[in-house]
Amino acid sequence: MATTTAAPRPRPRRIPDALDAIKQEPFVRRSPSAVAHQVGEVSSIRRSLYDLEVQQAKVRQHYEDELRRLRLELAALRHAAPPQGIPGFQPVPDADKRPKPERETSPHDVEALYPPRPHPSDYQLPPINTSSFPDELTVPPDFRKDGSDWFAVFNPRIKRSLDISLVHNLPHASVVCCVQFSLDGKYLATGCNRTAQIYDVKSGAKICVLADETAGKSGDLYIRSVRFSPDGKLLATGAEDRQIRIWDIAKKRIRNIFSGHTQEIYSLDFSLDGRFIISGSGDKTARVWDMHDESVKVLTISDTDSLNNDAGVTSVAISPSGALVAAGSLDTIVRIWDVKTGALVERLRGHRDSVYSVAFTPDGRGLVSGSLDKTLKYWDVAALAARKEEKKLADKGASVCTMDFVGHKVGRMCIFLTSVDGGQDYVLSVAVSHDGQWVVSGSKDRCVQFWDIRNATLQFVLQGHKNSGTLRCVALSLHYTNMRVVISLDVNPIGNMLATGSGDSLARICKWLQNSHSVSDI
């Protein structure tokens, strides 16, 4: 039987022959107009995909916000009465003598870590002018910076003069409620459940943990505010148990305890000379504590014409001169008192929802406030320093006098620093850089925004990627869960550094650079 010999395989072509064969393929002989048409189709498809991604992100965000709202409403229906001691509800007689009920929320429920949002009626204030910020997917490549799992979007409508880089991630065992740099810029203090912690800014190492072992062990005890004394030797902490603890950092011991507030303490601030510490509480008071003789001056909100009956204090700040105390309140008003006399010298009305954060500018001539109405405002308060005689008038009739001054009669101006979009971006924290040039804000939509204080121009927004590919605003980076609310932030007094505390149990330190500096120098 004859056998068939297989035909020999053709030897592989040499590379030049292969290239010649490829050149003869039909697709390379298409006309330039056909190629241009195909390129246009690909670009159109790509744009469509980008648009779909943006729409998907917006729909998902709306769904998550609606789901959270429904869950909160369901939880409210399950309970006949709200828990005692929470701002937003009128206190009952002898409330302090009653045992404090257990918390209804888990340690990671960020909604329980700041005062509840009231629902004021329409105040019929003039509409706020808003300006749009370009979508992160459509900005030119030079106006976007990507990290390993974060990115920043810079405003392409202005010349880019800033850069930003993540320096440290500082993990905690619970939600980080507050952060603050020491005055020399070397250390960062954070507050979480039951402990305050101090980190070395340069290395990111934890160097100190402060915990009151005598406090009850049951339930949570979140540290809502931390403040270094100007000399850096003391750290003040305000907690849910309504006490202010003054810690000797070197000895890790409590030096003083200030008691008197009847509801939770939300904010603290030291005067620059270290003489006074200011506290703000949901009990509608700000208090001025004297570190020398431990005396206290109570600044009570007792206005009869407030737009909202609840005037719990959410944030306090003392002016650089130590002469004025500003307090943001749930009733939408920012109040300013004279420290020496305790007189209410001004009320700043303009926000349409609760004010959650206030900060003086370094020169004391301006005040920045952040609100649940999704805006920041810059108030010119320089004229208050010249009102020595008018303070007596304010003592006698604060409501009438302050209503007159709100009408821009002393050169006061209010600049609207609008938010990025119309989402759930309630402003929870604000800080002013120590050169007085920048305002930084943190919000419930997990964004950190960087503003030029001179013209209220948004410079950039820090955002992050999620594993699913959808886009989310985050605090500097990495906040992957729905607890990514930016609860607190602070700006380093020495270097161009920013710290944030968030609901994902992380504190972060970032550094921004300007003009000729390079990120590689970080």
Side-chain angles (χ1 to χ4, degrees):
M1 180 175 178
T3 59
T4 308
T5 303
R9 287 185 173 182
R11 299 182 63 183
R13 296 181 181 180
R14 298 172 59 184
I15 292 178
D17 294 337
L19 291 175
D20 289 337
I22 291 173
K23 291 178 182 179
Q24 301 303 318
E25 291 293 333
F27 68 86
V28 301
R29 292 197 297 268
R30 293 176 181 172
S31 65
S33 61
V35 174
H37 178 70
Q38 288 186 343
V39 171
E41 288 183 339
V42 172
S43 299
S44 178
I45 293 172
R46 183 175 299 173
R47 284 194 298 270
S48 298
L49 289 175
Y50 284 166
D51 292 340
L52 287 173
E53 283 188 291
V54 173
Q55 187 64 27
Q56 180 192 18
K58 292 179 179 179
V59 171
R60 185 177 181 85
Q61 182 65 57
H62 176 75
Y63 168 80
E64 291 177 350
D65 292 337
E66 187 67 11
L67 185 60
R68 175 178 295 181
R69 183 185 66 80
L70 292 174
R71 284 174 176 170
L72 291 175
E73 289 182 356
L74 181 60
L77 291 174
R78 289 175 178 172
H79 304 286
Q84 303 294 327
I86 296 181
F89 302 101
Q90 293 297 320
V92 298
D94 299 324
D96 290 335
K97 299 179 181 180
R98 304 169 104 178
K100 186 176 180 180
E102 296 184 15
R103 293 175 59 91
E104 300 288 346
T105 54
S106 68
H108 297 286
D109 188 354
V110 181
E111 296 290 342
L113 297 180
Y114 43 81
R117 179 192 179 201
H119 299 281
S121 59
D122 184 7
Y123 303 143
Q124 297 182 347
L125 295 177
I128 297 174
N129 296 325
T130 58
S131 59
S132 60
F133 188 77
D135 190 274
E136 62 271 13
L137 290 173
T138 61
V139 297
D142 292 343
F143 289 86
R144 171 169 168 147
K145 179 176 181 180
D146 289 87
S148 59
D149 43 18
W150 63 274
F151 67 88
V153 179
F154 297 84
N155 191 345
R157 295 173 182 160
I158 60 175
K159 182 179 179 181
R160 178 179 169 182
S161 61
L162 296 171
D163 207 338
I164 189 77
S165 183
L166 180 66
V167 179
H168 294 303
N169 279 325
L170 307 175
H172 289 66
S174 69
V175 170
V176 181
C177 300
C178 48
V179 295
Q180 200 226 358
F181 287 105
S182 59
L183 195 59
D184 60 10
K186 295 181 180 179
Y187 304 103
L188 178 73
T190 65
C192 53
N193 193 12
R194 295 194 169 274
T195 66
Q197 304 178 28
I198 300 177
Y199 294 83
D200 182 281
V201 169
K202 185 175 182 180
S203 66
K206 185 190 300 183
I207 61 174
C208 184
V209 177
L210 303 175
D212 186 355
E213 301 298 335
T214 65
K217 301 298 182 181
S218 62
D220 299 326
L221 184 60
Y222 278 97
I223 309 298
R224 299 295 187 88
S225 186
V226 290
R227 279 295 181 271
F228 282 102
S229 61
D231 61 9
K233 296 180 180 180
L234 305 176
L235 185 73
T237 63
E240 291 181 321
D241 62 359
R242 311 168 189 178
Q243 292 187 332
I244 302 169
R245 295 170 175 84
I246 310 297
W247 294 84
D248 184 315
I249 297 175
K251 297 179 180 179
K252 298 183 180 180
R253 294 178 181 175
I254 297 174
R255 170 179 159 175
N256 307 90
I257 295 181
F258 295 139
S259 301
H261 281 295
T262 60
Q263 292 193 26
E264 296 175 4
I265 297 168
Y266 287 102
S267 182
L268 299 173
D269 199 15
F270 258 111
S271 61
L272 283 180
D273 61 4
R275 173 72 182 271
F276 302 108
I277 184 166
I278 316 301
S279 59
S281 166
D283 62 8
K284 303 183 183 181
T285 69
R287 302 189 181 217
V288 182
W289 308 85
D290 192 314
M291 293 290 293
H292 291 179
D293 59 17
E294 299 188 9
S295 62
V296 60
K297 187 175 296 179
V298 181
L299 310 176
T300 303
I301 297 177
S302 56
D303 310 48
T304 58
D305 62 340
S306 297
L307 296 177
N308 188 290
N309 289 330
D310 191 348
V313 176
T314 60
S315 178
V316 293
I318 187 167
S319 64
S321 67
L324 302 173
V325 168
S329 174
L330 292 174
D331 68 353
T332 77
I333 300 174
V334 178
R335 293 170 175 83
I336 300 178
W337 287 272
D338 181 285
V339 172
K340 185 176 181 180
T341 66
L344 178 66
V345 297
E346 187 58 287
R347 295 190 310 161
L348 304 176
R349 300 181 69 167
H351 280 295
R352 299 191 293 179
D353 210 331
S354 301
V355 178
Y356 267 40
S357 188
V358 292
F360 279 98
T361 57
D363 60 7
R365 299 173 64 86
L367 180 73
V368 178
S369 57
S371 167
L372 296 190
D373 65 9
K374 310 174 187 178
T375 69
L376 294 83
K377 301 184 191 299
Y378 175 92
W379 309 89
D380 184 347
V381 296
L384 291 178
R387 291 174 54 187
K388 297 301 182 181
E389 277 109 29
E390 293 179 350
K391 286 177 184 177
K392 296 181 179 180
L393 297 177
D395 290 344
K396 295 179 180 179
S399 296
V400 175
C401 181
T402 54
M403 287 296 293
D404 291 338
F405 280 109
V406 168
H408 303 273
K409 292 184 178 181
V410 291
R412 177 166 292 103
M413 65 177 177
C414 177
I415 300 175
F416 291 87
L417 304 182
T418 60
S419 55
V420 175
D421 54 36
Q424 300 298 314
D425 43 356
Y426 309 132
V427 180
L428 302 178
S429 50
V430 298
V432 181
S433 65
H434 290 264
D435 59 5
Q437 185 175 0
W438 311 107
V439 173
V440 186
S441 60
S443 53
K444 189 177 179 181
D445 67 355
R446 308 171 289 277
C447 288
V448 170
Q449 301 165 13
F450 207 89
W451 311 84
D452 189 326
I453 199 172
R454 298 168 298 180
N455 50 28
T457 301
L458 182 60
Q459 300 292 305
F460 62 83
V461 180
L462 294 162
Q463 301 179 324
H465 291 285
K466 198 174 182 181
N467 290 339
S468 64
T470 58
L471 299 169
R472 292 288 185 271
C473 292
V474 298
L476 307 183
S477 67
L478 310 183
H479 299 305
Y480 287 123
T481 72
N482 285 333
M483 300 304 174
R484 295 172 286 174
V485 176
V486 183
I487 300 174
S488 176
L489 55 80
D490 193 34
V491 176
N492 192 300
I494 305 300
N496 294 345
M497 286 189 174
L498 166 71
T500 64
S502 181
D504 61 356
S505 304
L506 283 172
R508 291 176 173 75
I509 300 177
C510 266
K511 186 170 186 178
W512 77 84
L513 300 170
Q514 191 171 0
N515 297 329
S516 60
H517 293 84
S518 171
V519 178
S520 62
D521 296 335
I522 295 179

